[in-house]
Amino acid sequence: MKNQSFTNHERHVPAFHFFLVPLSFAIVVAAFVYLFASSMRGISLFTSLLLILLSFSVVMTLFLIRQFVCKVQDRVIRAEENLRHFVMTGRLLNPSLTMEQIIALRFASDDEFLTLSEKAVAENLSSKDIKLAIQKWRADHHRV
């Protein structure tokens, strides 16, 4: 596996990002096309409206599931980084750190973690600034 860096740390899941999301939007478009075609032919609109409702529920379910999973992932990251900080210092992370900052700090090696944590609070660094400041990315950090 290639070492992580600022340029390659993001992850896209092709089946989700490039297939499932576009497919769900295509289903919504197809449902509206069917509604239009049904209204032009004078066919009952009940089936068309039902398809639109179902297609919107598919899209909403897809995005809510994604949101719930990301929230759980954020909680796990916060717990991991709190434990990491506690092991190194005997204290939990500074509560002033935002979730975005904590997520960015997880990529820092142990050598840089404490310094960057303090700098992130003191200078209110963005997650991008934190990632750009990392000189040595965690070698044991696996992409999920």
Side-chain angles (χ1 to χ4, degrees):
M1 178 180 209
K2 191 189 319 184
N3 286 338
Q4 281 193 8
S5 68
F6 181 77
T7 57
N8 71 0
H9 76 283
E10 292 181 349
R11 168 117 190 230
H12 294 283
V13 179
F16 179 81
H17 291 98
F18 306 119
F19 178 72
L20 194 55
V21 171
L23 179 63
S24 66
F25 284 113
I27 290 170
V28 171
V29 170
F32 276 103
V33 168
Y34 186 76
L35 173 67
F36 179 74
S38 296
S39 67
M40 296 300 286
R41 292 184 186 150
I43 300 173
S44 170
L45 299 181
F46 176 77
T47 304
S48 301
L49 294 173
L50 185 61
L51 286 173
I52 287 174
L53 291 174
L54 286 171
S55 66
F56 275 118
S57 71
V58 166
V59 170
M60 288 300 300
T61 301
L62 180 72
F63 283 99
L64 287 173
I65 287 171
R66 176 78 172 149
Q67 183 180 16
F68 297 154
V69 168
C70 287
K71 184 58 101 173
V72 170
Q73 182 179 356
D74 288 352
R75 289 178 179 162
V76 169
I77 291 168
R78 181 182 296 279
E80 287 176 339
E81 297 311 304
N82 255 321
L83 176 61
R84 181 179 177 201
H85 193 270
F86 187 83
V87 167
M88 296 171 88
T89 66
R91 299 181 327 270
L92 295 177
L93 282 169
N94 186 322
S96 300
L97 286 168
T98 66
M99 194 63 230
E100 289 76 21
Q101 289 172 317
I102 295 169
I103 290 168
L105 287 166
R106 75 192 286 235
F107 296 106
S109 67
D110 287 347
D111 299 338
E112 298 177 287
F113 180 68
L114 295 177
T115 306
L116 278 174
S117 297
E118 293 169 6
K119 187 175 180 180
V121 171
E123 298 178 20
N124 195 26
L125 296 178
S126 70
S127 62
K128 182 179 180 181
D129 291 337
I130 293 169
K131 291 174 189 175
L132 287 170
I134 297 171
Q135 299 299 308
K136 183 180 174 193
W137 286 59
R138 278 173 73 178
D140 66 338
H141 189 271
H142 301 289
R143 290 174 21 175
V144 179

